[in-house]
Amino acid sequence: ARMTLELPDDLRREIVDHARSGAPEEVVGVLAGRRGDPSRVDRVYRATNVANCPEVRYEIEPTAELELLERIDGAGFDVVGFYHSHPHGPLEPSDTDARLAAWPDHSYVIVSLAAEPAIGSWRWRGDRFEAEPVRIG
């Protein structure tokens, strides 16, 4: 059975705005809320992309990531997953995205700005990405 991700419309807009403001570099952030099926995003935390080639990949500095995760935990939320943008690229996760994915059963949201902004989500299964529906509401 496929998992579902629930994403409130205002948070969807926030992610798209972040992607637009960061282009042509990829942006990255953490999704917080309730993890499960469905997972629900209640808050979005922007992070800084420190990748050496930020146009085509993303990376959160480890100390900054740890601080974000502690803030999320302190606020009483689960880490639901992560989001990043593909300023020119397809909506699907890249091979690089799969190599970097480290959180099984968490959601990886991608924003593509290639044409109209589009958003999709994939649940990392430890060895592959599985597309999941995004319910905007």
Side-chain angles (χ1 to χ4, degrees):
R2 292 205 302 175
M3 306 293 226
T4 300
L5 183 72
E6 294 181 349
L7 182 66
D9 193 53
D10 58 327
L11 297 183
R12 180 194 64 83
R13 279 198 306 270
E14 194 174 319
I15 291 170
V16 171
D17 288 347
H18 188 195
R20 280 196 175 119
S21 67
E25 297 185 350
E26 293 191 3
V27 302
V28 58
V30 186
L31 306 168
R34 290 278 165 267
R35 194 167 71 84
D37 187 24
S39 281
R40 182 185 161 76
V41 181
D42 292 307
R43 202 174 288 176
V44 169
Y45 292 81
R46 294 184 180 202
T48 303
N49 185 356
V50 297
N52 56 3
C53 195
E55 288 77 21
V56 292
R57 55 177 296 186
Y58 70 95
E59 183 184 333
I60 304 175
E61 195 273 317
T63 313
E65 182 171 1
L66 197 60
E67 283 172 6
L68 267 182
L69 300 181
E70 287 174 350
R71 270 173 64 197
I72 288 166
D73 191 50
F77 292 118
D78 303 326
V79 172
V80 170
F82 301 85
Y83 70 89
H84 75 280
S85 61
H86 286 173
H88 308 291
L91 193 53
E92 291 74 32
S94 66
D95 293 342
T96 304
D97 294 339
R99 269 204 312 280
L100 297 173
W103 291 64
D105 296 317
H106 287 67
S107 298
Y108 285 76
V109 166
I110 296 175
V111 186
S112 169
L113 301 175
E116 281 300 295
I119 207 160
S121 188
W122 287 262
R123 201 71 69 115
W124 177 243
R125 291 306 192 190
D127 60 344
R128 66 195 156 83
F129 279 116
E130 191 175 274
E132 64 181 356
V134 179
R135 208 158 50 224
I136 309 286

